[in-house]
Amino acid sequence: MINDNLFYVIILISVLFGAVGINALIQFRDENNRKRLERLNWLSEQSTHTLNALSILKQTGCRAEIVEKLDQHAMSLIEEMAVISPKLDMEIPNAADVNSPPEVQPLSSDRAIKRAQIYINFAEKLILDMARAGRLTMQLAQTYKQELYWLSITVVADGHIHQAKQLEAEGQPLAALSHLKHAKAVLVRAMIPESQKKSRIETLQSDIDRLKPLEAPSSRLRSLRR
């Protein structure tokens, strides 16, 4: 009788341990799937942002060496996605082709300028992250970061200059003057050596001086209204 009870107890304990083991296995699998999905989503988001940044950098004439580093990073993200989920229906996009000459295009709207700034800033942060991960030296990353900062400044300034030229050609000199002043302000505030921006500022000032007399009638009118 005692042996029978002991037998039942052993069976019960075995079943209990089996249930606990199965439950633990299910939880482990679910946790792995959750982490895998989170990683996959993160990789997808980062690769998309990186490829968008590459498109902007190429469009704005960024240094080819920086574009190449980010291109390699984008491909590593996409390759990891393929490893995590081999069955994932994923079309690998063509990242920036650094062997082709950059298709530099002026940005013709405030929205395009803002978008370019966002992705250039993203590239700055990404370069530092790559340095922290040991994928390039911190000294080189700081050099790239400074170049990207200057690129961000020139993108904004050149965008306003481009809009100014369009507006002047359309017979809107006062609106053109406003864009030129904005471009100059961006360059003046830029935290870079004066020698690097001097020639650009002087050229802008020349164009501002050329259009500035057209402000006088409007200024007198505002004074009379007061």
XYZ file of all heavy atoms in Angstrom, residues 187-222:
290
model
N 25.179 81.270 -41.490
C 26.637 81.179 -41.602
C 27.337 81.910 -40.460
O 28.324 81.416 -39.914
C 27.095 81.748 -42.942
C 26.728 80.909 -44.179
C 27.032 81.692 -45.457
C 27.486 79.590 -44.185
N 26.830 83.064 -40.108
C 27.456 83.858 -39.034
C 27.403 83.090 -37.717
O 28.363 83.094 -36.942
C 26.762 85.229 -38.898
C 27.202 85.938 -37.625
C 27.076 86.101 -40.110
N 26.267 82.422 -37.448
C 26.104 81.708 -36.177
C 26.855 80.377 -36.139
O 27.033 79.802 -35.059
C 24.617 81.430 -35.917
C 23.796 82.671 -35.590
C 22.452 82.279 -34.978
N 21.691 81.415 -35.868
C 20.744 81.844 -36.700
N 20.464 83.139 -36.781
N 20.095 80.994 -37.472
N 27.266 79.875 -37.294
C 27.925 78.566 -37.350
C 29.206 78.562 -36.515
O 30.030 79.473 -36.601
C 28.250 78.204 -38.800
N 29.353 77.528 -35.709
C 30.525 77.415 -34.820
C 31.677 76.726 -35.549
O 32.028 75.576 -35.287
C 30.131 76.652 -33.557
C 29.137 77.405 -32.690
S 28.713 76.537 -31.162
C 27.751 75.151 -31.813
N 32.241 77.463 -36.499
C 33.384 76.990 -37.273
C 34.361 78.147 -37.427
O 33.997 79.312 -37.200
C 32.950 76.482 -38.671
C 32.262 77.600 -39.446
C 32.049 75.265 -38.568
C 32.079 77.277 -40.899
N 35.616 77.874 -37.812
C 36.589 78.967 -37.975
C 36.095 80.034 -38.952
O 35.491 79.715 -39.974
C 37.819 78.241 -38.520
C 37.678 76.834 -38.039
C 36.214 76.548 -38.031
N 36.370 81.263 -38.623
C 35.932 82.392 -39.456
C 36.456 82.274 -40.876
O 35.763 82.618 -41.841
C 36.411 83.700 -38.823
C 35.766 84.949 -39.392
C 34.281 85.041 -39.080
O 33.856 84.508 -38.042
O 33.557 85.633 -39.911
N 37.680 81.792 -41.017
C 38.284 81.684 -42.348
C 37.516 80.734 -43.259
O 37.530 80.882 -44.480
C 39.734 81.202 -42.221
O 39.781 79.945 -41.544
N 36.827 79.745 -42.665
C 36.116 78.747 -43.460
C 34.828 79.308 -44.067
O 34.359 78.826 -45.089
C 35.796 77.532 -42.583
C 35.289 76.321 -43.358
C 35.178 75.082 -42.493
O 35.689 75.036 -41.376
N 34.515 74.058 -42.991
N 34.277 80.318 -43.432
C 33.002 80.844 -43.912
C 33.095 82.279 -44.438
O 32.099 82.819 -44.936
C 31.962 80.786 -42.785
C 32.383 81.493 -41.501
C 31.359 81.258 -40.392
C 31.787 81.918 -39.090
N 30.819 81.694 -38.001
N 34.275 82.872 -44.357
C 34.444 84.280 -44.712
C 34.017 84.583 -46.145
O 33.259 85.524 -46.402
C 35.894 84.703 -44.493
C 36.149 86.181 -44.774
C 37.615 86.530 -44.534
C 37.876 87.995 -44.868
N 39.295 88.361 -44.680
N 34.510 83.792 -47.103
C 34.225 84.077 -48.511
C 32.734 83.955 -48.816
O 32.174 84.754 -49.579
C 35.037 83.156 -49.428
O 34.672 81.802 -49.211
N 32.070 82.974 -48.199
C 30.629 82.801 -48.415
C 29.853 83.998 -47.878
O 28.923 84.490 -48.523
C 30.141 81.524 -47.725
C 30.463 80.241 -48.486
C 30.003 79.038 -47.666
N 30.140 77.798 -48.432
C 29.170 77.237 -49.133
N 27.992 77.808 -49.192
N 29.374 76.116 -49.786
N 30.236 84.451 -46.695
C 29.545 85.586 -46.079
C 29.753 86.856 -46.910
O 28.813 87.644 -47.113
C 30.032 85.794 -44.629
C 29.573 84.623 -43.755
C 29.504 87.111 -44.060
C 30.095 84.654 -42.327
N 30.958 87.037 -47.403
C 31.251 88.231 -48.211
C 30.421 88.226 -49.503
O 29.901 89.269 -49.923
C 32.742 88.293 -48.528
C 33.596 88.668 -47.327
C 35.084 88.640 -47.636
O 35.462 88.116 -48.723
O 35.884 89.121 -46.811
N 30.309 87.069 -50.131
C 29.503 86.966 -51.356
C 28.035 87.263 -51.054
O 27.362 87.988 -51.807
C 29.635 85.560 -51.962
O 30.999 85.305 -52.274
C 28.805 85.428 -53.227
N 27.546 86.717 -49.953
C 26.165 86.969 -49.546
C 25.930 88.448 -49.253
O 24.915 89.023 -49.661
C 25.835 86.148 -48.295
C 25.236 84.768 -48.513
C 25.149 84.007 -47.200
C 23.862 84.866 -49.145
N 26.878 89.058 -48.554
C 26.734 90.477 -48.203
C 26.666 91.337 -49.452
O 25.918 92.319 -49.506
C 27.897 90.922 -47.312
C 27.724 92.316 -46.725
C 26.469 92.420 -45.873
O 26.276 91.650 -44.940
N 25.592 93.366 -46.204
N 27.437 90.957 -50.459
C 27.417 91.684 -51.727
C 26.025 91.628 -52.366
O 25.512 92.644 -52.857
C 28.462 91.090 -52.675
O 28.394 91.708 -53.940
N 25.405 90.437 -52.353
C 24.059 90.290 -52.918
C 23.025 91.029 -52.067
O 22.072 91.610 -52.598
C 23.693 88.809 -53.024
C 24.454 88.090 -54.128
O 24.862 88.772 -55.090
O 24.650 86.862 -54.019
N 23.213 91.001 -50.760
C 22.296 91.723 -49.860
C 22.370 93.219 -50.113
O 21.341 93.906 -50.204
C 22.626 91.390 -48.378
C 22.221 89.944 -48.072
C 21.903 92.354 -47.426
C 22.698 89.437 -46.720
N 23.589 93.734 -50.240
C 23.778 95.173 -50.496
C 23.148 95.576 -51.828
O 22.636 96.698 -51.972
C 25.268 95.521 -50.498
C 25.890 95.404 -49.112
O 25.125 95.404 -48.113
O 27.132 95.290 -49.017
N 23.188 94.641 -52.794
C 22.618 94.942 -54.110
C 21.098 95.074 -54.034
O 20.495 95.909 -54.731
C 23.019 93.833 -55.091
C 22.434 93.985 -56.489
C 23.012 92.951 -57.433
N 22.832 91.600 -56.951
C 21.708 90.897 -57.064
N 20.638 91.454 -57.632
N 21.635 89.660 -56.609
N 20.458 94.249 -53.193
C 18.997 94.259 -53.098
C 18.464 95.162 -51.984
O 17.298 95.535 -52.000
C 18.484 92.829 -52.850
C 18.684 91.824 -53.988
C 18.195 90.449 -53.560
C 17.950 92.267 -55.245
N 19.320 95.528 -51.064
C 18.863 96.254 -49.879
C 18.170 97.586 -50.176
O 17.201 97.939 -49.494
C 20.032 96.474 -48.918
C 19.591 96.663 -47.481
C 20.786 96.563 -46.547
C 20.317 96.632 -45.105
N 21.431 96.498 -44.146
N 18.627 98.371 -51.157
C 17.938 99.645 -51.439
C 16.453 99.471 -51.745
O 15.665 100.394 -51.538
C 18.684 100.179 -52.665
C 20.045 99.584 -52.558
C 19.827 98.212 -51.982
N 16.064 98.268 -52.213
C 14.657 98.035 -52.535
C 13.787 97.971 -51.280
O 12.571 98.023 -51.361
C 14.520 96.729 -53.320
C 15.250 96.705 -54.680
C 15.181 95.313 -55.276
C 14.634 97.715 -55.630
N 14.436 97.862 -50.121
C 13.698 97.826 -48.865
C 13.180 99.206 -48.470
O 12.201 99.320 -47.746
C 14.616 97.336 -47.735
C 14.449 95.882 -47.412
C 15.222 95.530 -46.156
O 16.263 96.147 -45.880
O 14.773 94.618 -45.448
N 13.844 100.246 -48.948
C 13.563 101.605 -48.489
C 12.091 102.017 -48.646
O 11.505 102.514 -47.686
C 14.473 102.593 -49.200
N 11.467 101.854 -49.814
C 10.063 102.262 -49.950
C 9.152 101.590 -48.932
O 8.286 102.225 -48.343
C 9.710 101.845 -51.380
C 11.017 101.804 -52.093
C 11.996 101.328 -51.075
N 9.341 100.325 -48.696
C 8.503 99.599 -47.748
C 8.732 100.110 -46.338
O 7.800 100.234 -45.546
C 8.818 98.095 -47.805
O 8.508 97.584 -49.072
N 10.006 100.418 -46.023
C 10.324 100.914 -44.689
C 9.662 102.256 -44.449
O 9.120 102.528 -43.378
C 11.841 101.035 -44.505
O 12.453 99.767 -44.654
N 9.686 103.152 -45.448
C 9.066 104.496 -45.314
C 7.558 104.339 -45.136
O 6.937 105.048 -44.358
C 9.390 105.331 -46.533
C 10.825 105.854 -46.547
C 10.948 107.026 -47.504
N 10.623 106.661 -48.882
C 11.535 106.233 -49.756
N 12.797 106.106 -49.397
N 11.183 105.917 -50.980
N 6.959 103.382 -45.880
C 5.526 103.184 -45.787
C 5.123 102.733 -44.386
O 4.137 103.182 -43.815
C 5.082 102.156 -46.833
C 3.576 101.869 -46.892
C 2.804 103.155 -47.198
C 3.277 100.837 -47.967
N 5.930 101.824 -43.800
C 5.641 101.364 -42.452
C 5.750 102.494 -41.444
O 4.989 102.597 -40.498
C 6.597 100.222 -42.082
C 6.242 98.889 -42.735
C 6.963 97.746 -42.038
N 8.423 97.877 -42.177
C 9.103 97.313 -43.161
N 8.471 96.642 -44.108
N 10.419 97.448 -43.243
